[in-house]
Amino acid sequence: MKMDRRQFCALGTAGAFAAIAGGMLGCSSGEKTPAADDKAADAAASTQADAASAKAAAMAMGDADVNFAQEVDILIVGAGISGMFAAIDPAAAGKNVLICEQNGTFGGDAIYSAACQMCSTAKLTQEERPEKYSTPEEIREKFAPYYEEGDPALDFTVLLQTWSGKFIDRMHYDWGYEFQPLRESPYHQAFFPKDGLCTMNSEFQLINQKLEEAGAKYSFETTFKTLITDENGEICGARFTKKDGSIFDVKAKAVVLAAGGYVSNQEWMTRYAPEYADLGNIVSGRKGDAIAAGLAAGGQLWKMGPTSNLNPRYEAGHMLGTFYPIICVLPNGKRFYCETAVHNAATGAIAAGYHEWYTIWDNVAQNGQDQELLKHAGEAIQSADSVDELAEKMGLHIETVQGIFDNWHDICEAQEDAEFGRTLFLQELQPPFYFIRNVPVRYKSLGGLKVDEQMHVLDANDQPIKNLYAAGCTAGTEDIVPAAASGLIVAETLVAEV
Ligand SMILES: Cc1cc2nc3c(=O)[nH]c(=O)nc-3n(C[C@H](O)[C@H](O)[C@H](O)COP(=O)(O)OP(=O)(O)OC[C@H]3O[C@@H](n4cnc5c(N)ncnc54)[C@H](O)[C@@H]3O)c2cc1C
């Protein structure tokens, strides 16, 4: 249906949205220190700058008249795991749901990720790995030390962790997905896809099947540009561009922003995560478009900052440590972290003063079940039939490389890693050897639009902005399972409210 509401509707440009009163970051209600005041002032200035640039971007669209090409109940921006889960229950409840996605397919970052799905609150955890199961109260106790008293972000973390269990249980008990059987690893609170590391394809095929059965629809190669407001200044849709450059305006009763984070936005990384801003970035198309639009609509940011970890350029360079004997060394031949604590690889190398490291393994990992993980690294993986050849290919002195193996031999013989306390996979490597040279990269951002416990986007006074919701990294979640959990939460809200 072609609608013409140009006399009433406005794009998310200057004046269309409520003023960004104060532009405050979500912060603790505890007593403020002068430093906290400075930080809040800086943050407020940054927030206003981001809102201004969001408005400028919207204006750069040319402010063409609004001309709705489609009308739906619920419009979701982004077909990542959070957006897909936001769609399913409302569609199953009879709502007309459209997901607009800039790429040609669904899945977002998770489909390419290592696919380690951490969750200790699932019924499945309780049944299969009871020692890893946590109640919401235990979760609160565990996370409380990381938050100031009264910080709503702690409540949000507890909420997400609790709903994380519902995601795992929905996949397994309701939809029949069999996660990988428990393997020896330090991550017994994590679920892995049945086909191995780095392939969530089987999970996404199932999620997509449920989404289509529920009746939700996609519009691929459709890029979000800005929100649209009605004559009362309330959000009533969004503007997109199609691959051919044409404008696509969609009218909706509710808009869910689920377009991921801002790791590809160099300016924002410099502002909010300067520690990681100079590192390479392996993710494209996460420029914080949706966060900026929410901000321009009067929303506020929360939890902005560096994430808890970095990645290697090639996932094999750390994730193999989850299940296999590997040795990771700096160019000086020294080990620098416990290889089974996979996420310490990149940060550990930087802490040791290096921006590169080597991961060495043998046929045990090379012929293991995680072939997709190796495929992701492609030709970056090299092999060597002897220590001499390995040294030559690594570009290190033979004595340095021999030293690596001698040190490892001693650890394996003693079955004790006095340096880093590793207890798993203390096995000697046999030729042929394989290795990869890795560099630390950033791969995700932290923080986004502040939301309440129903995933309404909140304004500067912590009041919900009408018709506007957010999920996943756009709402400041980190990792796959909390993103999916936030999708389930917003889905429940939408079923009740739309
Ligand atoms: C290499 C890598 C490895 C990872 N490994 C793990 C892991 O092992 N475990 C873990 O828990 N997490 C991991 N993560 C993080 C995890 O993938 C993310 O936290 C999760 O996928 C976030 O989901 P999301 O739905 O919030 O956003 P995304 O997955 O980013 O999805 C957002 C979607 O919105 C679309 N979009 C963006 N902008 C627009 C726009 N303007 N218009 C229309 N569409 C738009 C994107 O194309 C994308 O499809 C990894 C991430 C990467 C990159």
Side-chain angles (χ1 to χ4, degrees):
M1 178 173 47
K2 192 102 168 157
M3 298 176 58
D4 191 349
R5 293 281 312 276
R6 74 189 66 186
Q7 65 275 41
F8 291 134
C9 295
L11 296 168
T13 51
F17 293 117
I20 302 163
M24 282 171 53
L25 276 171
C27 57
S28 140
S29 57
E31 202 173 303
K32 281 194 199 155
T33 60
D37 279 342
D38 286 352
K39 214 175 160 192
D42 285 353
S46 300
T47 301
Q48 281 165 338
D50 289 336
S53 66
K55 287 175 182 175
M59 290 169 86
M61 291 284 303
D63 272 0
D65 286 342
V66 173
N67 192 356
F68 289 124
Q70 197 170 339
E71 183 173 358
V72 296
D73 294 325
I74 296 163
L75 173 62
I76 298 171
V77 180
I81 197 160
S82 62
M84 292 175 82
F85 270 97
I88 297 172
D89 291 349
K95 319 281 180 202
N96 186 355
V97 181
L98 177 70
I99 307 183
C100 290
E101 162 61 46
Q102 65 183 358
N103 290 335
T105 189
F106 52 80
D109 277 350
I111 208 158
Y112 302 107
S113 80
C116 174
Q117 295 159 78
M118 306 291 265
C119 179
S120 58
T121 57
K123 193 171 121 204
L124 190 58
T125 312
Q126 198 173 19
E127 272 186 9
E128 280 189 355
R129 320 157 186 203
E131 76 289 355
K132 293 291 180 189
Y133 178 74
S134 303
T135 62
E137 293 71 32
E138 286 164 345
I139 294 279
R140 180 173 292 278
E141 214 172 293
K142 182 176 151 200
F143 282 96
Y146 301 100
Y147 295 88
E148 284 180 38
E149 213 184 319
D151 188 341
L154 172 61
D155 297 331
F156 189 64
T157 297
V158 176
L159 179 80
L160 287 180
Q161 293 286 326
T162 308
W163 279 74
S164 291
K166 297 187 189 194
F167 157 67
I168 296 291
D169 291 338
R170 165 88 56 113
M171 292 291 291
H172 179 72
Y173 294 107
D174 297 353
W175 295 350
Y177 186 79
E178 292 295 343
F179 289 97
Q180 199 177 110
L182 204 52
R183 282 197 268 172
E184 186 177 36
S185 97
Y187 296 110
H188 282 184
Q189 72 277 42
F191 293 88
F192 294 95
K194 63 180 171 202
D195 304 323
L197 286 164
C198 270
T199 171
M200 281 192 73
N201 200 35
S202 57
E203 286 182 61
F204 272 106
Q205 290 304 332
L206 180 61
I207 298 165
N208 178 55
Q209 180 197 323
K210 296 297 172 187
L211 189 149
E212 291 189 340
E213 281 170 11
K217 298 274 183 289
Y218 297 103
S219 177
F220 289 118
E221 297 183 331
T222 304
T223 301
F224 170 74
K225 292 296 172 186
T226 187
L227 293 164
I228 300 173
T229 53
D230 65 13
E231 64 273 27
N232 301 315
E234 289 173 1
I235 286 157
C236 67
R239 166 161 292 183
F240 300 84
T241 50
K242 295 278 201 175
K243 202 179 176 190
D244 63 5
S246 61
I247 287 175
F248 179 55
D249 291 339
V250 181
K251 186 173 181 347
K253 293 177 188 149
V255 178
V256 182
L257 300 173
Y262 58 91
V263 70
S264 332
N265 185 326
Q266 186 60 34
E267 199 186 324
W268 284 30
M269 287 304 288
T270 304
R271 185 175 306 151
Y272 297 114
E275 298 90 330
Y276 295 166
D278 290 339
L279 294 174
N281 160 41
I282 45 169
V283 176
S284 65
R286 300 298 180 278
K287 292 185 184 299
D289 313 314
I291 301 174
L295 210 46
Q300 54 171 315
L301 301 176
W302 71 344
K303 304 194 288 174
M304 307 298 278
T307 60
S308 51
N309 55 52
L310 295 167
N311 239 36
R313 165 71 183 84
Y314 302 105
E315 292 271 8
H318 70 164
M319 287 308 289
L320 281 176
T322 316
F323 297 121
Y324 305 99
I326 63 169
I327 315 173
C328 290
V329 291
L330 298 168
N332 63 7
K334 304 282 181 217
R335 287 176 66 226
F336 60 102
Y337 77 108
C338 170
E339 289 91 339
T340 51
V342 296
H343 272 113
N344 294 349
T347 43
I350 292 174
Y354 288 84
H355 272 239
E356 63 177 325
W357 76 94
Y358 296 91
T359 303
I360 308 168
W361 64 93
D362 69 4
N363 267 333
V364 176
Q366 189 66 19
N367 297 329
Q369 73 183 82
D370 298 286
Q371 290 301 312
E372 196 67 26
L373 175 67
L374 299 170
K375 255 195 240 160
H376 276 218
E379 291 177 1
I381 297 175
Q382 296 188 58
S383 65
D385 288 328
S386 65
V387 172
D388 282 11
E389 190 185 352
L390 188 62
E392 193 188 323
K393 288 192 170 170
M394 288 170 83
L396 301 180
H397 286 297
I398 175 71
E399 295 79 23
T400 306
V401 177
Q402 190 57 55
I404 297 169
F405 283 90
D406 291 347
N407 179 46
W408 188 243
H409 168 81
D410 292 346
I411 290 170
C412 293
E413 203 168 62
Q415 283 296 294
E416 190 185 347
D417 173 15
E419 284 176 301
F420 299 104
R422 178 168 152 189
T423 55
L424 288 177
F425 317 126
L426 301 182
Q427 289 157 242
E428 297 217 41
L429 303 186
Q430 305 298 335
F433 305 114
Y434 302 85
F435 81 94
I436 202 164
R437 177 182 166 273
N438 249 310
V439 295
V441 291
R442 63 185 206 235
Y443 73 119
K444 59 183 180 181
S445 55
L446 183 61
L449 291 171
K450 188 176 184 188
V451 290
D452 65 12
E453 298 209 342
Q454 289 77 42
M455 310 305 291
H456 300 106
V457 176
L458 297 179
D459 69 14
N461 299 314
D462 281 342
Q463 295 305 307
I465 297 174
K466 203 162 176 214
N467 308 332
L468 190 61
Y469 307 77
C473 298
T474 301
T477 70
E478 206 181 344
D479 299 330
I480 297 167
V481 181
S486 70
L488 281 171
I489 298 170
V490 76
E492 186 179 78
T493 306
L494 293 166
V495 169
E497 293 183 1
V498 177

